[in-house]
Amino acid sequence: MRVTRLKLSSTFLAAALLSSLLAACGGGNGDGLTTQSKTFTADGGVSSFYQWSGTIPTTPGVLLQQEALPAAQVLPNAAQGIRILYSSTDGDDGKTAIYVSGDLQLPKGTPPAGGWPVIAWAHGTVGVADICAPSWTVRDPRDVDYLDAWLAQGYAVVSSDYQGLGTPGLHPYLHSRAEAYSVLDGIRAAIKNFPQLSSSVVIVGQSQGAQGAIATAGYGPSYAPELKLLGTVATGVPYQLQSVLAYLNALTAQVPTTGFTAVLGTLESYAWLGYATAERVIPNFLLSDHLTAKGKAFYSVVASQCLGPIEDYINQNKLVTSDVFSADVTAWATQVLQYTNYPTVKFAAPVFVGTGTLDTDIPTVVQYLFAKDACAAGSTVEQHYYAGQTHDSTVLVSLADSKPFVQKLFAGQPITSNCAALTPPP
């Protein structure tokens, strides 16, 4: 069960994305529904802070501007919250200079000698519209509690909105390199410009954020070798999203007998967020060429709303695949999903993997396979199962183990891998 609807269900997303694509067929009509332009955009609705009119530095991680966060967005255990805009690199082509937004939360009290240790937070799914950027809106209660726990330990928290969220351009949802570059350059910008920060960093993320955190750990040594990335904490880890085809087909096959269900509404909502990546990574591809009028009308909702309202719209209108697609688009689904892959599972620093035994959003066996493959590659992995915990509840419960893990990393103490004791989920 999900605690809040502002969370990523990555396997469900993959299921929705590919089951929708694999089963796509014509249908539906657009009576009374507005259409949408050929090229999808989700820009707008945020302040001028998110627009940079000057030259974008070719050096990534340059702080362009900063401003105080509104009081409602400053975390309870933070002394100060700062919205930041910084240069980065387009994760699609790996070379074009762009800019990305995010925020920095500083702990209360006096910084220790050497500065506050840094937690780099990779956020979960919020949507693709600019207004969903975490630095622009209020975080959900679970993430507030989780980040507050790190602030209470005396760690600063730097967060990236990710490429295209808040800033111009379409957010390449679940694009691992785009997430990693955004997180790494947010770290660079914060450390370079805030002397109260130390140079020691631990990456932390959950679900889509776990994907972002793991990708950051994978790309870090080559893209930002100067950063002192001590390790990674990830819960609800997505992995090998292409491998869920049997699960996808089973879900699709159930639709004719079960009818439209809330589960289907959830799957469809995550699917639509993934379509943003298609127009970014496939040359000359336009989703509007494959959509019915109902699909185009719904896409305008995705462009302007966050995850909760998107899911509500699907449920209220009982939208199914045949309502929104005019043709089979299997081929580009495969192309999109290749961008979700990690560059490596051999990590230079230790990785903490937390898995709830009742996690149905990202099946526990998928998370086990990630830990297993990382161990086989020679990574130092500390893996934990949390009995009776779901995808969401694992986040806070895992702090009992992830706090000492992070404390050891910042103290320069060794992490003991439990790869030898790794077992499939109970």
Side-chain angles (χ1 to χ4, degrees):
M1 174 175 125
R2 293 180 300 153
V3 176
T4 167
R5 282 191 287 185
L6 292 181
K7 308 293 187 299
L8 167 68
S9 175
S10 292
T11 297
F12 277 1
L13 180 143
L17 177 59
L18 285 184
S19 61
S20 295
L21 303 179
L22 295 174
C25 58
N29 62 65
D31 293 346
L33 297 176
T34 58
T35 58
Q36 174 236 328
S37 62
K38 297 270 294 180
T39 302
F40 178 56
T41 178
D43 288 344
V46 294
S47 72
S48 60
F49 178 88
Y50 294 86
Q51 294 277 346
W52 179 249
S53 59
T55 301
I56 304 173
T58 55
T59 301
V62 174
L63 184 68
L64 302 178
Q65 58 188 12
Q66 61 176 288
E67 67 179 12
L69 283 174
Q73 290 179 249
V74 179
L75 295 169
N77 284 335
Q80 186 180 7
I82 305 159
R83 185 178 286 144
I84 59 175
L85 195 73
Y86 56 91
S87 63
S88 189
T89 306
D90 189 328
D92 292 346
D93 63 19
K95 60 183 180 181
T96 302
I98 61 169
Y99 57 93
V100 175
S101 56
D103 70 274
L104 171 65
Q105 307 268 346
L106 298 172
K108 296 176 180 178
T110 302
W116 300 113
V118 176
I119 293 290
W121 168 244
H123 70 78
T125 298
V126 291
V128 296
D130 281 349
I131 60 170
C132 307
S135 73
W136 175 250
T137 188
V138 177
R139 287 184 167 94
D140 70 86
R142 189 208 65 184
D143 286 353
V144 169
D145 290 344
Y146 186 66
L147 297 180
D148 247 10
W150 295 117
L151 285 163
Q153 297 293 303
Y155 308 142
V157 177
V158 59
S159 308
S160 174
D161 290 329
Y162 304 147
Q163 176 179 342
L165 267 177
T167 51
L170 198 56
H171 170 50
Y173 184 60
L174 284 182
H175 190 317
S176 64
R177 185 168 69 173
E179 292 166 344
Y181 284 5
S182 294
V183 173
L184 289 164
D185 289 329
I187 297 169
R188 281 169 157 162
I191 290 177
K192 289 176 186 175
N193 292 277
F194 295 90
Q196 59 269 59
L197 301 181
S198 83
S199 60
S200 297
V201 182
V202 172
I203 313 157
V204 179
Q206 189 264 349
S207 207
Q208 185 203 357
Q211 183 206 31
I214 295 295
T216 299
Y219 281 106
S222 59
Y223 181 71
E226 81 280 9
L227 292 181
K228 191 177 180 181
L229 305 176
L230 303 181
T232 305
V233 173
T235 57
V237 181
Y239 187 54
Q240 294 184 348
L241 296 184
Q242 298 94 327
S243 68
V244 296
L245 287 178
Y247 175 57
L248 311 179
N249 291 334
L251 288 174
T252 303
Q254 293 171 11
V255 172
T257 57
T258 60
F260 190 89
T261 65
V263 171
L264 179 58
T266 299
L267 304 184
E268 291 285 1
S269 66
Y270 293 129
W272 280 97
L273 300 180
Y275 300 150
T277 304
E279 286 198 356
R280 294 198 63 105
V281 301
I282 302 176
N284 303 316
F285 181 87
L286 294 171
L287 277 173
S288 54
D289 291 342
H290 304 274
L291 301 175
T292 65
K294 283 186 177 180
K296 293 175 183 179
F298 175 54
Y299 217 19
S300 68
V301 176
V302 179
S304 60
Q305 302 293 324
C306 301
L307 186 56
I310 291 169
E311 187 173 347
D312 289 341
Y313 185 98
I314 291 174
N315 287 323
Q316 291 165 7
N317 292 279
K318 295 182 170 57
L319 291 180
V320 296
T321 299
S322 59
D323 289 326
V324 296
F325 284 108
S326 59
D328 186 342
V329 286
T330 303
W332 63 264
T334 303
Q335 294 182 63
V336 169
L337 283 181
Q338 71 181 356
Y339 291 92
T340 70
N341 294 335
Y342 304 127
T344 183
V345 290
K346 173 67 172 72
F347 303 104
V351 177
F352 177 102
V353 178
T355 301
T357 61
L358 297 184
D359 191 338
T360 56
D361 289 7
I362 301 177
T364 54
V365 65
V366 172
Q367 300 180 53
Y368 161 73
L369 288 175
F370 167 74
K372 181 173 179 289
D373 288 353
C375 286
S379 301
T380 297
V381 178
E382 183 179 313
Q383 189 271 350
H384 294 268
Y385 289 119
Y386 296 97
Q389 301 302 320
T390 65
H391 189 65
D392 287 304
S393 65
T394 296
V395 178
L396 293 173
V397 172
S398 65
L399 283 167
D401 297 306
S402 59
K403 279 183 182 179
F405 177 86
V406 170
Q407 288 168 355
K408 288 179 182 177
L409 292 176
F410 282 132
Q413 299 173 0
I415 298 296
T416 301
S417 174
N418 61 1
C419 285
L422 186 65
T423 60

